[in-house]
Amino acid sequence: MNNKTHTETGHTSLAYEETFDCVQCGYCLPACPTYQTMRKETHSPRGRINLVKMAAEGKVSLSQLQEPIDLCLGCRACETACPTNVQYGTILNSAKEAIQKEKNKSMGGMTKWLSHAMFKQVLPNATAMGVLRTGLYAYQRLGIQSLARQTGLLPKMLPESLATFERITPQVDTGSSPAKRPKKLHPKGKRAYKVGFFTGCIMDTVFTQINTLSMKLLQQAGCEVEVIHEQTCCGALQHHSGEGEQAKALAKRNIEAFESYDFDYIVNSIGGCGAALVEYDELLKDESEWCERAKAFVDKNVDISVILGQLRLPFKKRINKTVTYQPSCHMSNVQKRVQEPLQLLQSIPGIQYQEMPEKEMCCGSAGIYNLIHYEAAMDILDEKMKNVQQCTPNIIVTTNPGCHLQMTLGVERDDKSKDIQVVHLVELLAEACDLH
Amino acid sequence: MKVITTTVINELHSIISEPERVLTDEADRYSYAFDASFGVYLPDVVVQPKSAQEVAQVMKIANQHLIPVYPRGQGTSLSGGPLPVKGGIVLDVAQWNQTLDIDTDNMLAVVSPGVLTAHINQAAQEYGLMYPPDPSSSHVSTIAGNLAENAGGPKGLKYGVTKDYVIGLEVVTPEGEIIRTGGKTVKNVTGYDLTKLIVGSEGTLGVITEATLRLMPQPPASQTLMAMFEDIVDSGTAISKILSAGIIPAKMELMDQASIVAVEEYEPLGLPTDVEALLLIELDGHPQAIAEEMTQVQTLCQEVGARQTKIANDTEEAQELWRARKLVSPAIVRVKPTKISEDATVPRSKIPDMFRRLKEIKEKYQVDLVVFGHAGDGNLHPNIIADKRDNEEMQRVEQAVGEIFEAAVALGGTLSGEHGIGTMKAPFMELELGKVGLDMMKRIKQSWDPNNILNPGKIFPEPGQKLVLRDE
């Protein structure tokens, strides 16, 4: 084999070998939301794979690669369209890490400290997230702009995006703080499974109530549910920002934490975190002592819809509404749970389900993409809302906090908040079961 | 090659109303440097036109400065059609997809060049019509690309290829004039048939900016049968028997043993791996007619020695049977990543001979060769699976591909059934056409494009040009 060019002149940390699996057929183009909105090959999966290859061969610089990689949502819809099973996620992450390493070299002290603080100290830290939660509560009282500007945590955020997100951030209710939630719930009736509940960080901060309801639903369906305090952040945001080492460290902490308990399943209600959790084996594939442990962890991790779909929920109310479903990309394309949430949704008495055209297209939320690339995300959201309009729902159901916020924003931007409600699947199930 | 100066870029900006439709960044240029075939050729600039006037002005600038121009759809070409082999301007028409009008009274579609081929069929279906050409890439490929390469597809046997459905074109000439060929009438014999000349000319004679396409009534029903053959020659006999019985299937696809084994190893579907060939046959038409024909097809297959036949009871079962064919691509690239997909085509009576020749070539050059494709029309897809990082292997592949072309032509066939010539098959043109035949084609090119501006380096070989699948 002749890899001379690559190793001598290029960036060896890029997933160069994987790029050869791409036969450049272009079947991924129609599946890619950014190709649709940005209208050039540079922002298509095929284009990005080609650029990673060119960078690995030293033909283009990492700085040329940066914008196309930054603007990728990481929705991985291209992987489902690919006829030759190209591992786009691996190629994308390798590019993000290479770019981040380069940036870390040149980053100013303050920016570096802040980015590290955010990913390493804040997200994985329950106390810090508690503080953030209080902060969120405070900001909702006091106004976010000054706070965000002072902390500088989101330096690229535009005043417009701030104002928009401020409108849609759910009201933090101090009564439902994670701290006040029982750590263990006993099953209703005969125990079906013993499950560990994965809370996530943003989810448990912004959508605490959804986690609480998830646990109650599992309890109603016959599960013993426990929240263990040793768990930490899933590492998805770090990984997607090119901080692979931090992501690995968090993965190990989670594996260790859950290993010491004898759970049948580890359950979460967060499409994006779930995707990170089921790929821990991929993340740790080069570390021999962790491979097997990661695989065992992965096998136990499922989205809540998988467990609830296997058990019976005691529905008490009919919900006579027209409902459409916006599947989270990470749930569909990475966790490959396409049917489970949909079947569960359709099992709710009274529901009129209407399929949204192109429902598998990303809504533009993609972790913190919509904060960092506000305008690009809004273009993608506009495409999504055109499809929402075609099915005129009373309710849009999501399965991931990012999509939840983004769809709420879409409804708000269309001035439809009075007509269309955005809820997590768990909230709708809880309502039908009369749980609060 | 002329290097594009800032003056030229400025001139391009002055005619393209939105600045973001003129791409000069290195990342953007590299993104239009390839297609689905081989080689990377960096263009100097990419322009995304949205009107015939814009294209005409680009062509005028190109002529004035002698800059090559390469029209490009979504770059799914397997023959190298849109590759900017001599630098210059790539004309990306993929974003120019605004017109898709169905004229039900005349059973026509009028489309702009960037419309995806599958979208034309979808739009037609809403009126009970269909646009029959169905290249496997139709959900990605643009109509302009299909027109330029004269794309085919599995339905070619019954319904023909792209050229059989084009009755009118708007074309920008290489010198920047806008002309119309053909029209809206099915019958049109006025003068030379420039429409047919442009279709399949691979972007060397003009830039297609609008097309008028014929539509057909959608058949009310379809049904699928799968038949397994222990001897591949028997499958060939089955094909001839079915056709000579007066039955024209919509599709008749073949998979050889190597592709069946690959699919079974990739995703077990329960196909027997000890058979030499598998035929998938789809009939369409009136439900009563196809019911009767299907029984006949089944009997004919059994009579010539099919080990097993299976008829799908409903659409779902039919999709399940077609799944085997769909899995061929992912299955075969599991062994090695590089896929050289050829489309050498022989008269269908010569299919068994072609199989024999392919087997010899496979052994002679020790290459991983699998065969599948549109057996009903003789359009086989010998695919060689290799690793393009392995120089020694790629040299053997180049020789094997060359011999595949020679075999096809020797059997009275053609270099290309549906992918076009592009850069890949240019070195073999004389083999099929002869010196004078090729020269007549060159003369047409010279009279249309005296400055050789439009898509140079395609169809016609450069002196001494050889098939090269390696980067260096």
Side-chain angles (χ1 to χ4, degrees):
Chain A
M1 293 212 187
N2 180 16
N3 284 343
K4 226 161 72 186
T5 353
H6 167 224
T7 45
E8 277 173 11
T9 58
H11 299 273
T12 46
S13 62
L14 290 167
Y16 180 63
E17 299 300 322
E18 284 80 354
T19 63
F20 282 88
D21 293 339
C22 174
V23 294
Q24 300 175 341
C25 64
Y27 283 24
C28 53
L29 299 180
C32 178
T34 56
Y35 180 68
Q36 195 179 335
T37 54
M38 298 175 195
R39 297 175 175 276
K40 54 184 184 181
E41 181 82 43
T42 325
H43 295 299
S44 76
R46 178 175 67 173
R48 291 181 178 116
I49 292 168
N50 175 60
L51 286 172
V52 168
K53 189 177 188 184
M54 292 296 124
E57 289 174 358
K59 288 180 182 150
V60 301
S61 65
L62 277 182
S63 59
Q64 285 284 341
L65 191 60
Q66 186 177 339
E67 190 188 74
I69 292 296
D70 274 356
L71 286 174
C72 172
L73 295 150
C75 71
R76 290 169 61 180
C78 49
E79 286 184 20
T80 64
C82 178
T84 60
N85 293 331
V86 174
Q87 299 303 300
Y88 179 78
T90 309
I91 296 170
L92 175 70
N93 282 329
S94 80
K96 288 199 161 179
E97 272 186 48
I99 292 166
Q100 191 57 37
K101 264 186 207 145
E102 199 80 355
K103 262 203 228 162
N104 283 347
K105 278 186 212 157
S106 58
M107 218 188 248
M110 191 58 181
T111 330
K112 200 181 210 164
W113 180 83
L114 277 168
S115 125
H116 273 258
M118 184 68 191
F119 287 135
K120 218 169 176 174
Q121 311 294 338
V122 181
L123 285 177
N125 184 320
T127 321
M129 285 307 279
V131 173
L132 199 67
R133 201 164 175 282
T134 319
L136 194 59
Y137 178 70
Y139 117 68
Q140 281 171 347
R141 292 282 166 95
L142 305 170
I144 191 176
Q145 294 199 1
S146 55
L147 182 72
R149 279 180 186 159
Q150 279 161 22
T151 57
L153 280 177
L154 305 160
K156 284 190 194 166
M157 269 169 77
L158 303 161
E160 188 198 344
S161 71
L162 277 177
T164 327
F165 280 98
E166 185 182 30
R167 286 211 304 276
I168 56 127
T169 313
Q171 280 299 317
V172 173
D173 167 13
T174 44
S176 67
S177 131
K180 293 179 186 161
R181 189 167 53 202
K183 295 289 169 232
K184 195 166 183 173
L185 295 177
H186 295 287
K188 188 123 187 269
K190 196 168 162 275
R191 187 176 91 178
Y193 299 121
K194 184 178 167 191
V195 308
F197 193 78
F198 186 84
T199 54
C201 17
I202 306 227
M203 184 75 162
D204 224 26
T205 307
V206 184
F207 293 109
T208 322
Q209 178 65 1
I210 295 175
N211 271 349
T212 309
L213 289 173
S214 296
M215 292 168 66
K216 287 184 182 170
L217 281 169
L218 288 165
Q219 178 187 34
Q220 289 292 320
C223 297
E224 179 183 313
V225 192
E226 194 173 347
V227 179
I228 60 165
H229 71 276
E230 302 95 321
Q231 65 178 294
T232 184
C233 173
C234 68
L237 290 180
Q238 290 84 349
H239 197 201
H240 298 156
S241 303
E243 301 288 356
E245 289 311 312
Q246 288 180 27
K248 283 181 193 170
L250 293 169
K252 289 174 192 169
R253 272 172 63 190
N254 276 322
I255 293 168
E256 253 173 355
F258 281 96
E259 247 170 12
S260 52
Y261 292 83
D262 179 30
F263 294 124
D264 298 318
Y265 289 103
I266 303 161
V267 179
N268 69 79
S269 308
I270 324 150
C273 298
L277 298 172
V278 302
E279 288 203 326
Y280 275 2
D281 52 345
E282 177 62 32
L283 181 68
L284 297 169
K285 67 169 189 282
D286 297 330
E287 300 189 34
S288 54
E289 76 270 35
W290 283 94
C291 284
E292 242 170 73
R293 294 167 73 180
K295 187 79 189 68
F297 178 83
V298 163
D299 289 343
K300 281 190 178 180
N301 263 278
V302 283
D303 184 77
I304 189 166
S305 59
V306 177
I307 296 297
L308 293 182
Q310 288 170 13
L311 304 169
R312 272 176 79 92
L313 279 171
F315 290 124
K316 295 202 171 79
K317 272 166 57 181
R318 288 180 69 80
I319 297 180
N320 297 317
K321 294 275 172 66
T322 304
V323 172
T324 196
Y325 173 53
Q326 167 57 36
S328 110
C329 298
H330 281 150
M331 178 92 106
S332 303
N333 306 331
V334 185
Q335 297 194 61
K336 315 259 187 245
R337 300 297 183 182
V338 178
Q339 289 309 319
E340 289 89 344
L342 202 53
Q343 278 166 3
L344 198 55
L345 171 64
Q346 287 172 292
S347 74
I348 299 173
I351 285 292
Q352 275 275 351
Y353 171 68
Q354 278 215 355
E355 184 170 298
M356 191 194 302
E358 293 183 42
K359 66 175 191 311
E360 52 291 324
M361 275 281 178
C362 180
C363 62
S365 158
I368 48 172
Y369 187 96
N370 51 3
L371 293 177
I372 300 172
H373 307 291
Y374 178 73
E375 278 172 30
M378 291 308 112
D379 289 344
I380 293 160
L381 180 59
D382 287 345
E383 293 297 317
K384 178 58 68 184
M385 294 316 288
K386 281 182 206 159
N387 290 325
V388 169
Q389 279 154 19
Q390 283 190 40
C391 51
T392 57
N394 309 115
I395 299 174
I396 302 171
V397 172
T398 66
T399 47
N400 184 42
C403 315
H404 195 143
L405 285 173
Q406 179 83 342
M407 295 310 294
T408 311
L409 183 55
V411 169
E412 172 84 18
R413 275 160 57 91
D414 278 5
D415 209 12
K416 288 267 165 55
S417 340
K418 285 204 182 73
D419 314 316
I420 307 176
Q421 210 187 340
V422 180
V423 302
H424 191 288
L425 174 58
V426 157
E427 293 178 282
L428 205 60
L429 291 166
E431 194 188 333
C433 293
D434 207 17
L435 294 172
H436 302 284
Chain B
M1 185 186 82
K2 276 252 179 188
V3 177
I4 292 194
T5 58
T6 37
T7 325
V8 175
I9 302 291
N10 289 341
E11 283 178 45
L12 290 171
H13 272 295
S14 71
I15 55 164
I16 304 289
S17 57
E18 295 155 299
E20 66 268 23
R21 290 196 278 121
V22 178
L23 316 175
T24 50
D25 270 7
E26 204 184 9
D28 289 333
R29 292 192 289 128
Y30 265 108
S31 299
Y32 293 85
F34 61 87
D35 65 0
S37 69
F38 286 80
V40 175
Y41 304 90
L42 196 62
D44 296 291
V45 57
V46 180
V47 178
Q48 300 178 308
K50 285 204 173 160
S51 71
Q53 285 72 25
E54 283 182 348
V55 174
Q57 290 181 40
V58 171
M59 290 318 301
K60 287 197 168 130
I61 293 173
N63 266 281
Q64 191 192 332
H65 300 279
L66 299 177
I67 298 163
V69 178
Y70 314 85
R72 184 185 194 269
Q74 295 227 87
T76 60
S77 175
L78 289 162
S79 60
L83 293 175
V85 291
K86 293 179 188 295
I89 303 170
V90 164
L91 269 189
D92 169 31
V93 301
Q95 306 308 325
W96 180 0
N97 55 7
Q98 287 70 26
T99 310
L100 172 47
D101 297 332
I102 305 290
D103 173 351
T104 50
D105 290 343
N106 293 310
M107 286 183 30
L108 298 175
V110 177
V111 296
S112 50
V115 169
L116 300 188
T117 303
H119 287 174
I120 302 172
N121 191 41
Q122 278 160 21
Q125 278 180 344
E126 286 179 29
Y127 301 95
L129 300 168
M130 70 166 172
Y131 173 67
D134 64 335
S136 304
S137 60
S138 66
H139 63 295
V140 194
S141 52
T142 60
I143 188 64
N146 282 183
L147 290 162
E149 300 295 331
N150 200 355
K155 282 189 190 159
L157 165 65
K158 182 169 181 175
Y159 294 100
V161 294
T162 303
K163 69 176 172 194
D164 301 312
Y165 295 88
V166 194
I167 56 171
L169 291 173
E170 181 190 67
V171 179
V172 175
T173 68
E175 290 169 292
E177 304 299 334
I178 302 169
I179 60 165
R180 282 197 168 268
T181 72
K184 283 196 164 189
T185 60
V186 173
K187 289 182 172 177
N188 183 330
V189 297
T190 310
Y192 292 155
D193 193 346
L194 294 185
T195 311
K196 286 280 199 306
L197 180 62
I198 298 290
V199 175
S201 68
E202 308 194 17
T204 60
L205 299 182
V207 183
I208 296 166
T209 52
E210 189 182 272
T212 306
L213 307 167
R214 274 174 74 191
L215 302 174
M216 302 273 281
Q218 217 181 314
S222 67
Q223 206 172 19
T224 297
L225 169 138
M226 184 189 267
M228 325 276 186
F229 295 88
E230 273 162 28
D231 187 337
I232 200 159
V233 180
D234 292 345
S235 71
T237 318
I239 293 166
S240 332
K241 290 252 176 187
I242 291 165
L243 294 166
S244 50
I247 299 166
I248 310 285
K251 302 180 194 171
M252 211 191 276
E253 296 282 297
L254 180 137
M255 284 167 62
D256 76 344
Q257 190 168 18
S259 25
I260 300 170
V261 171
V263 166
E264 276 302 307
E265 281 173 4
Y266 176 70
E267 191 183 311
L269 297 174
L271 304 171
T273 48
D274 59 338
V275 293
E276 269 189 7
L278 175 162
L279 279 185
L280 274 161
I281 300 169
E282 185 182 294
L283 300 178
D284 67 359
H286 191 279
Q288 277 172 327
I290 56 176
E292 204 178 306
E293 285 177 354
M294 196 44 108
T295 320
Q296 232 181 317
V297 167
Q298 191 172 29
T299 315
L300 286 169
C301 285
Q302 283 161 352
E303 275 172 11
V304 299
R307 184 207 281 182
Q308 197 190 339
T309 55
K310 206 189 283 176
I311 298 175
N313 288 314
D314 48 40
T315 341
E316 247 170 56
E317 273 186 38
Q319 276 171 358
E320 197 47 41
L321 294 183
W322 281 101
R323 196 167 158 68
R325 174 70 178 80
K326 282 215 159 77
L327 287 176
V328 173
S329 279
I332 58 178
V333 292
R334 265 208 334 175
V335 192
K336 283 179 212 160
T338 310
K339 182 167 163 263
I340 299 104
S341 177
E342 282 313 334
D343 67 330
T345 300
V346 293
R348 61 182 162 238
S349 62
K350 298 287 184 192
I351 288 177
D353 299 296
M354 188 62 182
F355 270 115
R356 242 169 261 132
R357 289 288 295 118
L358 290 171
K359 214 171 158 182
E360 285 162 18
I361 293 167
K362 179 180 177 166
E363 276 155 23
K364 181 173 172 190
Y365 294 102
Q366 290 295 305
V367 286
D368 283 313
L369 184 131
V370 289
V371 187
F372 53 94
H374 323 307
D377 53 21
N379 182 192
L380 298 174
H381 288 304
N383 271 245
I384 300 180
I385 308 305
D387 188 331
K388 65 177 159 197
R389 288 160 287 192
D390 187 339
N391 243 311
E392 186 273 326
E393 181 182 32
M394 290 310 279
Q395 276 176 24
R396 277 185 283 126
V397 172
E398 283 164 8
Q399 287 171 313
V401 169
E403 242 177 81
I404 292 174
F405 294 144
E406 283 163 22
V409 173
L411 289 169
T414 177
L415 296 172
S416 176
E418 57 184 17
H419 294 172
I421 299 302
T423 55
M424 300 272 289
K425 294 170 205 167
F428 304 92
M429 284 293 271
E430 210 178 292
L431 187 71
E432 181 174 339
L433 300 171
K435 230 182 172 64
V436 181
L438 186 59
D439 188 54
M440 287 309 287
M441 284 195 185
K442 272 189 196 160
R443 288 196 218 174
I444 294 175
K445 166 69 177 170
Q446 275 154 11
S447 65
W448 275 71
D449 184 11
N451 293 326
N452 198 23
I453 296 298
L454 208 44
N455 212 7
K458 313 298 160 65
I459 302 179
F460 305 105
E462 310 268 331
Q465 189 184 334
K466 285 206 170 77
L467 171 73
V468 179
L469 300 170
R470 290 159 294 159
D471 280 343
E472 303 306 328

